[in-house]
Amino acid sequence: MARGCEHPAGCHTGEVPTLASATVGARLWLLIEYTGAWPSRLETLELPGKISELVRRALERGIRPQLIRRPGRRTRPQEQGIRVLVAHAAGPNPWLASGVVAGPDDLDLDALVAGVVPESCILEDEPVFLVCTHAKRNVCCARIGLPLARSLAENLPDRVWETSHVGGDRYAANLVCLPHGIFYGSMSQAAALAAANAYRSGEVILDRYRGRAGIPEPLQAVEHFARAHTGECSVGAVAVESSRTDGDVTEAIVRIGDVRLQVVVEPSAFTAPCGTASACAETITTYRLVSLDRLTPVRYATPALA
């Protein structure tokens, strides 16, 4: 572990499992460019008036607000207006749009909630990538995230942003791919570039894949194991048709193309060593596969016509 890092050994290198850890409550996103100092928590509204009001309105509507800035830029003066990006990450056809607004009244967040592009924004035809660098929330996010964001931005100019806290500090550096809300954790610079390029091609990589935001953790685990079993990597190819939970056990029916799987998962404890003494080892909750079975298609007999 690096000096100042309180996370268990292996958290930032991919040795600790990252599956099923994407932020559950994030299906709608509001990204606000702000180059000033970020507070430790956005919900305290310790920001300039217009920025604070945008954050407040987003929180009221169940939209996840994020502060963003271009990698490496700290002192650039704020331009006329506020640059925003909005993402509707729910469902099979997510979208991303951007605009510059004079203030909160010029951004129709109710339209975003309804799944409609606000009039002040235009659709983006390329994804964006967020790297958490929120030092006031956790020093590891800045220590690991800052160089990763700069490196990724060199390869993908204008598509990469530093962002405020996204959840899962122990998995820094964290990468979020929008509009789908795909989360990766414990990213190296090489792993981040591979994940970003895969996403631009409509695919996911299971290595260091945390899951898709807005989906309950057990169903993130179901998707992970279904992909691992079939080798399916297309972003939108895995659909959970139904699920039920009995205690800690979750059973789901998953469709991948013409194949249907019954997947059962349950929470599992992973003990991450601290690297110095076993007495300070930390237990991390993850998921294990209980069973996975391919379902036989039901064929209905058609009675012969008289």
Side-chain angles (χ1 to χ4, degrees):
M1 292 185 293
R3 181 177 299 177
C5 176
E6 300 178 352
H7 301 120
C11 277
H12 304 311
T13 60
E15 298 168 64
V16 171
T18 60
L19 76 152
S21 62
T23 301
V24 172
R27 309 194 81 181
L28 307 171
W29 297 71
L30 169 62
L31 316 180
I32 308 165
E33 184 176 16
Y34 180 61
T35 58
W38 295 350
S40 60
R41 296 179 181 272
L42 270 60
E43 56 268 29
T44 63
L45 304 179
E46 298 171 3
L47 291 159
K50 291 181 179 180
I51 305 294
S52 180
E53 180 62 12
L54 278 170
V55 170
R56 186 188 68 78
R57 293 186 183 188
L59 291 171
E60 283 183 348
R61 290 163 174 80
I63 300 169
R64 183 178 182 92
Q66 296 285 142
L67 300 179
I68 57 173
R69 61 191 172 210
R70 289 299 188 189
R73 300 179 187 175
R74 292 291 181 276
T75 59
R76 184 170 64 86
Q78 198 77 21
E79 64 184 53
Q80 282 284 359
I82 304 168
R83 181 174 298 278
V84 297
L85 291 97
V86 292
H88 191 278
N93 299 302
W95 50 262
L96 176 74
S98 64
V100 177
V101 299
D105 292 338
D106 295 324
L107 182 61
D108 186 357
L109 291 179
D110 291 325
L112 173 60
V113 172
V116 178
V117 178
E119 290 186 359
S120 54
C121 298
I122 59 172
L123 282 172
E124 294 269 321
D125 57 6
E126 286 283 333
V128 297
F129 303 96
L130 310 180
V131 179
C132 181
T133 60
H134 200 165
K136 283 189 177 179
R137 193 62 180 263
N138 190 281
V139 67
C140 292
C141 294
R143 177 177 61 83
I144 309 172
L146 283 169
L148 187 146
R150 291 167 184 162
S151 172
L152 195 58
E154 290 176 0
N155 289 277
L156 299 169
D158 300 324
R159 306 315 301 170
V160 179
W161 298 87
E162 294 180 22
T163 193
S164 52
H165 177 68
V166 298
D169 299 328
R170 65 157 57 97
Y171 302 118
N174 281 297
L175 174 70
V176 181
C177 311
L178 290 175
H180 281 83
I182 300 295
F183 272 55
Y184 288 94
S186 306
M187 298 301 273
S188 64
Q189 293 180 20
L193 181 58
N197 283 333
Y199 184 64
R200 295 178 73 210
S201 299
E203 298 181 343
V204 298
I205 295 175
L206 283 188
D207 180 38
R208 311 187 194 205
Y209 178 54
R210 291 183 59 189
R212 183 175 177 182
I215 298 174
E217 288 182 355
L219 299 187
Q220 292 180 36
V222 163
E223 179 208 346
H224 182 100
F225 290 121
R227 289 185 181 278
H229 177 76
T230 62
E232 179 58 62
C233 57
S234 177
V235 171
V238 180
V240 176
E241 293 186 330
S242 63
S243 65
R244 66 182 182 91
T245 298
D246 183 4
D248 288 339
V249 177
T250 297
E251 175 187 328
I253 304 300
V254 182
R255 180 179 293 278
I256 303 177
D258 295 330
V259 176
R260 295 172 75 238
L261 304 172
Q262 181 185 55
V263 185
V264 181
V265 300
E266 67 180 4
S268 175
F270 177 85
T271 301
C274 67
T276 55
S278 58
C280 64
E282 181 178 334
T283 299
I284 296 172
T285 299
T286 182
Y287 286 84
R288 77 174 190 92
L289 179 64
V290 176
S291 65
L292 187 153
D293 298 292
R294 182 166 177 163
L295 300 179
T296 302
V298 177
R299 302 186 186 280
Y300 295 96
T302 303
L305 296 176

